[in-house]
Amino acid sequence: MTIASSSPPSRLPTGGAAEASSTTGTRQGVSGEDRGDGRLAALFIAPALLGFLVFLLWPTLRGIYLSFTRFNLLTPAEWVGLDNYVRMVNDPIFWDSLWVTVEYVVINIGVQTVAALAIAVLLQRLTQSAMLRGIVLTPYLMSNVVAGLVWLWLLDTQLGIGNEIISGLGVDRIPFLADETWAIPTIALINVWRHVGYTALLLFAGLQAIPNDMYEAARVDGASEWRMFWRITMPLLRPVLAVVLIMTVIGSFQVFDTVAVTTAGGPANATNVLQYYIYGSAFGRFQFGYASAMSVALLVVLSAITVLQYRLTRAGRTDLG
C-alpha cells in the first residue's frame, strides 16, 4: 500500500496585502510631493513676505511706538505718553486738514465711481475692444507727480491752455488751483482723470462674471436697458463694486503727491490735506512723534471706515447662485 505524500500549500500574497503595500507607497510619494510643493510655495512667497515685514509691518509698529514719544531725529526718542494725542485733539489745523481730506474724498469717490461705472457698462454693452481698454487705462500709467504738473500747466491762470480757451469764449479766467473754492474740486477731478480708467477696468472685470443669459431673458420679457441696469447689473456687481469702493476710499484718504506739486497745501491751507500736514510736521518741523500720532489716527479712521463699508455693502456675499 502506497501512501501519497502531500506538500503544504504555498502561501501566495493576497490581493489585500498587495493593495495595502501599493497604498502605503502612494501615500509616501504624495507626502513627499506635498512637502516639495510646500517648499516651492514658501520660496515664492518669501520675497513678498519679507517686503511686508520690512516695509509695512515694522514701520507700522515703529510708528505706533513713536506716537507716544517726542522725537526729532537729532536726539533719542523721549516717552511722553498720550501728550501727542492730546495735542492732536486740541489742534485746529488737524481738524481742518481732516475736513479738507473728507471734502476731497467725497468729490473724488462720487465722481470717479459714477464715471467708472458708466465707462465699464459702455465697454461691456457696446464694445469689448482691447485697444479701447488700453486707451482708457492710459492716464493711469502716468505717475501722480507728472499728472499734477501737466494739469498745473494746463490750468495756469495766465498761461494755461485751459484758461486761454475760457478767455477766448468771453469768460473771465478761473484760478483753478489758486482759489480756495476751486482748489480741492480741481485736485479731486485731476485724480479722477488719472484713476477712472483703472477703476472702470476693475468694474468691467466684474461685469464679465455676470451671465449673458440673464440679459437675454430680460430682453425677452421686454425689459429696457435702464431697467436691466438696476435690476440685474447693479445687484450682481455689488461685491466687486464694494471692494473697489473700499480700495478707492483708502487711496483717496492718502492723497499727497498731487497736492504737493500743484498747490503745496495752499491757498491759505485750503488744500492742506491730512497726509500733507503729517508730512510737513515730520519733515518740515521735525516733529516725528506728533506726525506719528496723526498717522495712527488716520490708520484707525481708515480701519473703521473699511469695516463699516464691508458690512454695509455685504462685500463678502454675492447674489449669483
Side-chain angles (χ1 to χ4, degrees), residues 101-119:
T101 306
V102 171
E103 180 186 358
Y104 165 84
V105 170
V106 170
I107 298 173
N108 183 42
I109 297 301
V111 177
Q112 183 180 162
T113 303
V114 173
L117 186 58
I119 294 172

PDB file of all heavy atoms in Angstrom, residues 101-119:
ATOM      1  N   THR A 101      -9.657 116.839   3.784  1.00  0.00           N
ATOM      2  CA  THR A 101      -9.476 115.500   3.223  1.00  0.00           C
ATOM      3  C   THR A 101     -10.817 114.835   2.945  1.00  0.00           C
ATOM      4  O   THR A 101     -11.006 114.203   1.904  1.00  0.00           O
ATOM      5  CB  THR A 101      -8.643 114.630   4.183  1.00  0.00           C
ATOM      6  OG1 THR A 101      -7.421 115.297   4.482  1.00  0.00           O
ATOM      7  CG2 THR A 101      -8.345 113.278   3.559  1.00  0.00           C
ATOM      8  N   VAL A 102     -11.748 114.967   3.875  1.00  0.00           N
ATOM      9  CA  VAL A 102     -13.092 114.383   3.683  1.00  0.00           C
ATOM     10  C   VAL A 102     -13.783 115.020   2.476  1.00  0.00           C
ATOM     11  O   VAL A 102     -14.419 114.328   1.669  1.00  0.00           O
ATOM     12  CB  VAL A 102     -13.937 114.553   4.960  1.00  0.00           C
ATOM     13  CG1 VAL A 102     -15.390 114.168   4.699  1.00  0.00           C
ATOM     14  CG2 VAL A 102     -13.361 113.710   6.095  1.00  0.00           C
ATOM     15  N   GLU A 103     -13.639 116.335   2.330  1.00  0.00           N
ATOM     16  CA  GLU A 103     -14.228 117.018   1.164  1.00  0.00           C
ATOM     17  C   GLU A 103     -13.642 116.472  -0.133  1.00  0.00           C
ATOM     18  O   GLU A 103     -14.373 116.189  -1.092  1.00  0.00           O
ATOM     19  CB  GLU A 103     -13.963 118.522   1.271  1.00  0.00           C
ATOM     20  CG  GLU A 103     -14.531 119.324   0.100  1.00  0.00           C
ATOM     21  CD  GLU A 103     -14.133 120.789   0.161  1.00  0.00           C
ATOM     22  OE1 GLU A 103     -13.439 121.194   1.131  1.00  0.00           O
ATOM     23  OE2 GLU A 103     -14.497 121.542  -0.775  1.00  0.00           O
ATOM     24  N   TYR A 104     -12.334 116.297  -0.144  1.00  0.00           N
ATOM     25  CA  TYR A 104     -11.682 115.741  -1.322  1.00  0.00           C
ATOM     26  C   TYR A 104     -12.173 114.327  -1.609  1.00  0.00           C
ATOM     27  O   TYR A 104     -12.467 113.970  -2.756  1.00  0.00           O
ATOM     28  CB  TYR A 104     -10.166 115.742  -1.118  1.00  0.00           C
ATOM     29  CG  TYR A 104      -9.432 114.878  -2.114  1.00  0.00           C
ATOM     30  CD1 TYR A 104      -9.094 115.360  -3.372  1.00  0.00           C
ATOM     31  CD2 TYR A 104      -9.093 113.554  -1.801  1.00  0.00           C
ATOM     32  CE1 TYR A 104      -8.444 114.561  -4.288  1.00  0.00           C
ATOM     33  CE2 TYR A 104      -8.444 112.752  -2.709  1.00  0.00           C
ATOM     34  CZ  TYR A 104      -8.115 113.256  -3.950  1.00  0.00           C
ATOM     35  OH  TYR A 104      -7.483 112.442  -4.866  1.00  0.00           O
ATOM     36  N   VAL A 105     -12.266 113.493  -0.567  1.00  0.00           N
ATOM     37  CA  VAL A 105     -12.683 112.098  -0.744  1.00  0.00           C
ATOM     38  C   VAL A 105     -14.092 112.027  -1.302  1.00  0.00           C
ATOM     39  O   VAL A 105     -14.381 111.232  -2.212  1.00  0.00           O
ATOM     40  CB  VAL A 105     -12.581 111.334   0.594  1.00  0.00           C
ATOM     41  CG1 VAL A 105     -13.238 109.959   0.481  1.00  0.00           C
ATOM     42  CG2 VAL A 105     -11.128 111.182   1.001  1.00  0.00           C
ATOM     43  N   VAL A 106     -14.999 112.835  -0.786  1.00  0.00           N
ATOM     44  CA  VAL A 106     -16.396 112.809  -1.249  1.00  0.00           C
ATOM     45  C   VAL A 106     -16.483 113.164  -2.734  1.00  0.00           C
ATOM     46  O   VAL A 106     -17.160 112.479  -3.511  1.00  0.00           O
ATOM     47  CB  VAL A 106     -17.252 113.777  -0.408  1.00  0.00           C
ATOM     48  CG1 VAL A 106     -18.638 113.949  -1.031  1.00  0.00           C
ATOM     49  CG2 VAL A 106     -17.380 113.258   1.022  1.00  0.00           C
ATOM     50  N   ILE A 107     -15.778 114.214  -3.139  1.00  0.00           N
ATOM     51  CA  ILE A 107     -15.811 114.617  -4.557  1.00  0.00           C
ATOM     52  C   ILE A 107     -15.152 113.555  -5.426  1.00  0.00           C
ATOM     53  O   ILE A 107     -15.699 113.130  -6.454  1.00  0.00           O
ATOM     54  CB  ILE A 107     -15.124 115.983  -4.746  1.00  0.00           C
ATOM     55  CG1 ILE A 107     -15.854 117.070  -3.964  1.00  0.00           C
ATOM     56  CG2 ILE A 107     -15.061 116.353  -6.228  1.00  0.00           C
ATOM     57  CD1 ILE A 107     -15.143 118.410  -3.970  1.00  0.00           C
ATOM     58  N   ASN A 108     -13.981 113.111  -5.015  1.00  0.00           N
ATOM     59  CA  ASN A 108     -13.224 112.147  -5.805  1.00  0.00           C
ATOM     60  C   ASN A 108     -13.974 110.827  -5.966  1.00  0.00           C
ATOM     61  O   ASN A 108     -14.136 110.309  -7.079  1.00  0.00           O
ATOM     62  CB  ASN A 108     -11.864 111.902  -5.154  1.00  0.00           C
ATOM     63  CG  ASN A 108     -10.992 110.973  -5.961  1.00  0.00           C
ATOM     64  OD1 ASN A 108     -10.913 111.059  -7.178  1.00  0.00           O
ATOM     65  ND2 ASN A 108     -10.323 110.057  -5.278  1.00  0.00           N
ATOM     66  N   ILE A 109     -14.457 110.265  -4.862  1.00  0.00           N
ATOM     67  CA  ILE A 109     -15.141 108.980  -4.910  1.00  0.00           C
ATOM     68  C   ILE A 109     -16.466 109.088  -5.646  1.00  0.00           C
ATOM     69  O   ILE A 109     -16.828 108.220  -6.450  1.00  0.00           O
ATOM     70  CB  ILE A 109     -15.348 108.427  -3.489  1.00  0.00           C
ATOM     71  CG1 ILE A 109     -14.002 108.167  -2.822  1.00  0.00           C
ATOM     72  CG2 ILE A 109     -16.185 107.155  -3.510  1.00  0.00           C
ATOM     73  CD1 ILE A 109     -13.129 107.188  -3.578  1.00  0.00           C
ATOM     74  N   GLY A 110     -17.213 110.149  -5.387  1.00  0.00           N
ATOM     75  CA  GLY A 110     -18.504 110.312  -6.048  1.00  0.00           C
ATOM     76  C   GLY A 110     -18.384 110.380  -7.560  1.00  0.00           C
ATOM     77  O   GLY A 110     -19.026 109.611  -8.296  1.00  0.00           O
ATOM     78  N   VAL A 111     -17.531 111.275  -8.040  1.00  0.00           N
ATOM     79  CA  VAL A 111     -17.379 111.456  -9.485  1.00  0.00           C
ATOM     80  C   VAL A 111     -16.708 110.238 -10.114  1.00  0.00           C
ATOM     81  O   VAL A 111     -17.131 109.741 -11.169  1.00  0.00           O
ATOM     82  CB  VAL A 111     -16.574 112.743  -9.790  1.00  0.00           C
ATOM     83  CG1 VAL A 111     -16.344 112.894 -11.284  1.00  0.00           C
ATOM     84  CG2 VAL A 111     -17.294 113.957  -9.240  1.00  0.00           C
ATOM     85  N   GLN A 112     -15.655 109.724  -9.469  1.00  0.00           N
ATOM     86  CA  GLN A 112     -14.910 108.610 -10.048  1.00  0.00           C
ATOM     87  C   GLN A 112     -15.760 107.345 -10.145  1.00  0.00           C
ATOM     88  O   GLN A 112     -15.708 106.642 -11.160  1.00  0.00           O
ATOM     89  CB  GLN A 112     -13.662 108.323  -9.198  1.00  0.00           C
ATOM     90  CG  GLN A 112     -12.780 107.226  -9.771  1.00  0.00           C
ATOM     91  CD  GLN A 112     -11.555 106.966  -8.919  1.00  0.00           C
ATOM     92  OE1 GLN A 112     -10.921 105.924  -9.041  1.00  0.00           O
ATOM     93  NE2 GLN A 112     -11.200 107.892  -8.040  1.00  0.00           N
ATOM     94  N   THR A 113     -16.551 107.052  -9.124  1.00  0.00           N
ATOM     95  CA  THR A 113     -17.361 105.835  -9.140  1.00  0.00           C
ATOM     96  C   THR A 113     -18.418 105.883 -10.225  1.00  0.00           C
ATOM     97  O   THR A 113     -18.604 104.914 -10.976  1.00  0.00           O
ATOM     98  CB  THR A 113     -18.021 105.622  -7.766  1.00  0.00           C
ATOM     99  OG1 THR A 113     -17.009 105.562  -6.758  1.00  0.00           O
ATOM    100  CG2 THR A 113     -18.819 104.330  -7.745  1.00  0.00           C
ATOM    101  N   VAL A 114     -19.107 107.013 -10.322  1.00  0.00           N
ATOM    102  CA  VAL A 114     -20.151 107.143 -11.346  1.00  0.00           C
ATOM    103  C   VAL A 114     -19.546 107.075 -12.748  1.00  0.00           C
ATOM    104  O   VAL A 114     -20.052 106.362 -13.626  1.00  0.00           O
ATOM    105  CB  VAL A 114     -20.932 108.467 -11.149  1.00  0.00           C
ATOM    106  CG1 VAL A 114     -21.894 108.697 -12.308  1.00  0.00           C
ATOM    107  CG2 VAL A 114     -21.689 108.436  -9.825  1.00  0.00           C
ATOM    108  N   ALA A 115     -18.447 107.805 -12.969  1.00  0.00           N
ATOM    109  CA  ALA A 115     -17.818 107.806 -14.291  1.00  0.00           C
ATOM    110  C   ALA A 115     -17.252 106.432 -14.637  1.00  0.00           C
ATOM    111  O   ALA A 115     -17.408 105.953 -15.771  1.00  0.00           O
ATOM    112  CB  ALA A 115     -16.706 108.861 -14.328  1.00  0.00           C
ATOM    113  N   ALA A 116     -16.594 105.774 -13.672  1.00  0.00           N
ATOM    114  CA  ALA A 116     -16.020 104.446 -13.932  1.00  0.00           C
ATOM    115  C   ALA A 116     -17.103 103.421 -14.220  1.00  0.00           C
ATOM    116  O   ALA A 116     -16.943 102.571 -15.108  1.00  0.00           O
ATOM    117  CB  ALA A 116     -15.179 104.002 -12.740  1.00  0.00           C
ATOM    118  N   LEU A 117     -18.196 103.493 -13.500  1.00  0.00           N
ATOM    119  CA  LEU A 117     -19.298 102.554 -13.730  1.00  0.00           C
ATOM    120  C   LEU A 117     -19.902 102.757 -15.117  1.00  0.00           C
ATOM    121  O   LEU A 117     -20.204 101.783 -15.829  1.00  0.00           O
ATOM    122  CB  LEU A 117     -20.363 102.732 -12.647  1.00  0.00           C
ATOM    123  CG  LEU A 117     -21.526 101.745 -12.646  1.00  0.00           C
ATOM    124  CD1 LEU A 117     -21.013 100.321 -12.524  1.00  0.00           C
ATOM    125  CD2 LEU A 117     -22.487 102.068 -11.513  1.00  0.00           C
ATOM    126  N   ALA A 118     -20.065 104.025 -15.524  1.00  0.00           N
ATOM    127  CA  ALA A 118     -20.598 104.301 -16.857  1.00  0.00           C
ATOM    128  C   ALA A 118     -19.654 103.788 -17.944  1.00  0.00           C
ATOM    129  O   ALA A 118     -20.099 103.165 -18.923  1.00  0.00           O
ATOM    130  CB  ALA A 118     -20.824 105.812 -17.015  1.00  0.00           C
ATOM    131  N   ILE A 119     -18.356 104.018 -17.784  1.00  0.00           N
ATOM    132  CA  ILE A 119     -17.384 103.542 -18.776  1.00  0.00           C
ATOM    133  C   ILE A 119     -17.374 102.016 -18.837  1.00  0.00           C
ATOM    134  O   ILE A 119     -17.340 101.421 -19.924  1.00  0.00           O
ATOM    135  CB  ILE A 119     -15.979 104.081 -18.439  1.00  0.00           C
ATOM    136  CG1 ILE A 119     -15.934 105.595 -18.599  1.00  0.00           C
ATOM    137  CG2 ILE A 119     -14.918 103.430 -19.319  1.00  0.00           C
ATOM    138  CD1 ILE A 119     -14.651 106.234 -18.107  1.00  0.00           C
TER     139      ILE A 119
END
